[in-house]
Amino acid sequence: MATINDNYLKLKAGYLFPEIARRVNAFAEAHPEAKIIRLGIGDVTEPLPEACRTAMIKAVEEMGDRTLFKGYGPEQGYAWLREKIAAHDFQARGCEVDASEIFVSDGSKCDCGNILDIFGDNNTIAVTDPVYPVYVDTNVMAGHTGEANEKGEYGGLIYLPISAENHFTAEIPAQKVDLIYLCFPNNPTGATASREHLKAWVDYAKAHGSIIFFDAAYEAFITDPAIPHSIYEIEGARECAIEFRSFSKNAGFTGTRCALTVVPKTLTAKAADGSNVELWKLWNRRQSTKFNGVSYIVQRGAEAVYSPEGQAQTKALVSFYMENARIIREQLTAAGLTVFGGINAPYVWVKTPNNLSSWDFFDKLLTICNVVGTPGSGFGAAGEGYFRISAFNSRENVEVAMKRITEKFKG
Ligand code: MLT
């Protein structure tokens, strides 16, 4: 009889967001009259920028023309898109990233998981707590952990607690770790990393031969000019960091799917025989074998983000969500809640009132205010007692949701 990957049996009941959806659906079924507002999953609500739509429509027309039709594209992405990404997102910020080091993909979530394909099974792995659950679960699936304890912490992983005391930025570990996941602006806490903080991580990684997985999916939401957008703004990062980026949140591509991963050609890790192997070569080999590229139509849509119109339209989208974040912060603060994030990130991290557990607060908001958020404990044990509110929604929904919450919690 066929056998399974037993590591899947170690996973906690459900991936966080499907579990939330399950609870919300059950409530909605029992209360069909409730007008539920979803500020849980960080999924965009506003339409695709016009520049992207126009480019995609044109690409669809080309696909209907025998002379312009495209079959398989390059697994790494079309050169015209990779060159624009390299120029606008990296070189314009002084980062030494070449177009050939950019791999266009169908999502940062996929890449964050897939990247483990090219690493060994004996690495020591560090994640922050709380953390985007994909980093943890993909390591569980790959057999890189032991079982979870009652707090949901997996044996074998190093958890670096982040809290208000350390401004939601982890202390550099005392011990050696091989792979480190960093996410800035942070999901779920909305925290950012200063240049000095990132420099400390780069220095650490270089000293220990570690690799940093730097998830910059929310970089477009940075409003403070002093905060780095890319880890490659830090000297030495080309020797120790892989960066993940996405068109999902800045250009509304969550349903359209386009992202990118940067693997510098200067990055190496050890083979079993002790030799240093270029990670770029391995990732290129992996992608060429297991991935056939993002559709031509979608890549043309992503390319349009870099046109003058696309730049203006994506900027407007980001500002729209950040105004939502401001409203959420202000209203919740006025209601007496303690909030973090939401200034350089589309997530507001809220301390639950009256020491309620994260899931108790989730149930309270759902049943009393008909508002959905994300329980902090779903991001890790240290997220207990916190709650994440996403700024991705219409202005009206955000305003109504805040009114319902403030009316309930004020005083
Ligand atoms: C979230 O809500 O944390 C995001 O939707 C995660 C993601 O983009 O996969």
Side-chain angles (χ1 to χ4, degrees):
M1 194 180 209
T3 62
I4 60 156
N5 175 353
D6 275 88
N7 295 309
Y8 276 67
L9 304 180
K10 295 179 197 162
L11 292 165
K12 306 301 287 175
Y15 180 58
L16 176 62
F17 296 108
E19 172 60 18
I20 291 171
R22 196 188 60 73
R23 290 189 185 213
V24 174
N25 292 342
F27 178 80
E29 239 168 65
H31 303 88
E33 73 297 343
K35 292 198 167 23
I36 298 172
I37 298 177
R38 290 172 166 80
L39 302 176
I41 189 163
D43 193 5
V44 294
T45 54
E46 303 310 296
L48 285 174
E50 195 191 338
C52 302
R53 296 196 314 267
T54 307
M56 285 192 265
I57 290 166
K58 181 164 174 274
V60 171
E61 293 301 336
E62 287 172 27
M63 294 297 266
D65 178 334
R66 169 169 290 283
T67 62
L68 299 172
F69 172 80
K70 303 273 183 302
Y72 291 127
E75 295 91 351
Q76 302 79 359
Y78 284 100
W80 36 260
L81 175 56
R82 301 167 85 196
E83 275 155 19
K84 291 211 171 60
I85 293 168
H88 286 257
D89 289 349
F90 297 102
Q91 291 158 7
R93 291 193 174 276
C95 305
E96 190 196 333
V97 170
D98 187 73
S100 64
E101 298 173 318
I102 290 166
F103 292 81
V104 176
S105 78
D106 59 348
S108 284
K109 173 166 146 179
C110 322
D111 284 356
C112 285
N114 293 337
I115 198 75
L116 294 176
D117 273 12
I118 65 168
F119 288 92
D121 291 330
N122 300 322
N123 289 307
T124 315
I125 298 159
V127 293
T128 62
D129 181 8
V131 70
Y132 179 42
V134 171
Y135 311 152
V136 172
D137 286 3
T138 53
N139 274 291
V140 176
M141 291 170 179
H144 295 168
T145 73
E147 298 288 341
N149 65 17
E150 67 290 345
K151 283 160 75 186
E153 295 165 337
Y154 288 94
L157 286 186
I158 311 257
Y159 289 91
L160 308 172
I162 55 174
S163 64
E165 284 73 53
N166 57 20
H167 308 288
F168 301 101
T169 50
E171 309 293 334
I172 306 295
Q175 74 270 53
K176 174 182 176 305
V177 297
D178 302 306
L179 303 177
I180 305 144
Y181 290 83
L182 295 180
C183 174
F184 289 113
N186 186 250
N187 180 10
T189 66
T192 51
S194 66
R195 198 168 287 278
E196 295 69 36
H197 183 69
L198 291 186
K199 179 82 174 82
W201 273 115
V202 166
D203 289 348
Y204 170 90
K206 284 185 67 183
H208 293 90
S210 328
I211 299 289
I212 298 171
F213 295 146
F214 191 74
D215 185 347
Y218 299 95
E219 61 77 32
F221 296 85
I222 293 173
T223 52
D224 180 344
I227 296 172
H229 286 238
S230 166
I231 191 135
Y232 304 117
E233 289 179 51
I234 310 302
E235 202 195 329
R238 282 182 59 80
E239 280 76 56
C240 64
I242 290 175
E243 182 163 308
F244 304 96
R245 289 233 184 165
S246 174
F247 292 93
S248 282
K249 314 290 162 107
N250 63 337
F253 273 50
T254 54
T256 309
R257 312 305 306 152
C258 199
L260 60 119
T261 290
V262 183
V263 185
K265 290 184 176 162
T266 38
L267 210 53
T268 61
K270 283 252 176 289
D273 66 5
S275 60
N276 285 330
V277 177
E278 273 178 49
L279 292 175
W280 183 94
K281 284 192 179 150
L282 299 189
W283 186 243
N284 191 48
R285 184 72 173 83
R286 191 264 172 215
Q287 290 298 81
S288 310
T289 304
K290 292 196 181 181
F291 186 58
N292 255 338
V294 176
S295 83
Y296 172 71
I297 298 160
V298 168
Q299 290 193 64
R300 280 296 186 199
E303 183 195 25
V305 164
Y306 300 101
S307 67
E309 305 77 41
Q311 287 286 287
Q313 291 161 12
T314 47
K315 217 178 221 151
L317 256 187
V318 166
S319 304
F320 173 83
Y321 291 124
M322 289 313 288
E323 175 62 8
N324 283 350
R326 189 191 63 77
I327 293 168
I328 295 168
R329 278 180 60 87
E330 282 189 11
Q331 297 278 311
L332 295 184
T333 306
L337 295 170
T338 304
V339 302
F340 304 92
I343 294 174
N344 294 289
Y347 295 124
V348 178
W349 189 240
V350 186
K351 183 89 198 78
T352 60
N354 309 320
N355 288 324
L356 282 175
S357 77
S358 299
W359 277 109
D360 284 350
F361 190 58
F362 172 91
D363 288 333
K364 222 176 168 123
L365 275 196
L366 176 61
T367 53
I368 301 173
C369 305
N370 301 156
V371 172
V372 180
T374 309
S377 56
F379 297 100
E384 181 55 89
Y386 286 92
F387 198 73
R388 193 193 76 176
I389 302 216
S390 155
F392 293 112
N393 216 310
S394 67
R395 182 64 38 78
E396 190 192 353
N397 275 351
V398 165
E399 282 171 349
V400 173
M402 289 308 112
K403 191 157 178 289
R404 288 185 197 162
I405 296 176
T406 46
E407 273 169 7
K408 180 68 208 152
F409 287 94
K410 217 168 202 158

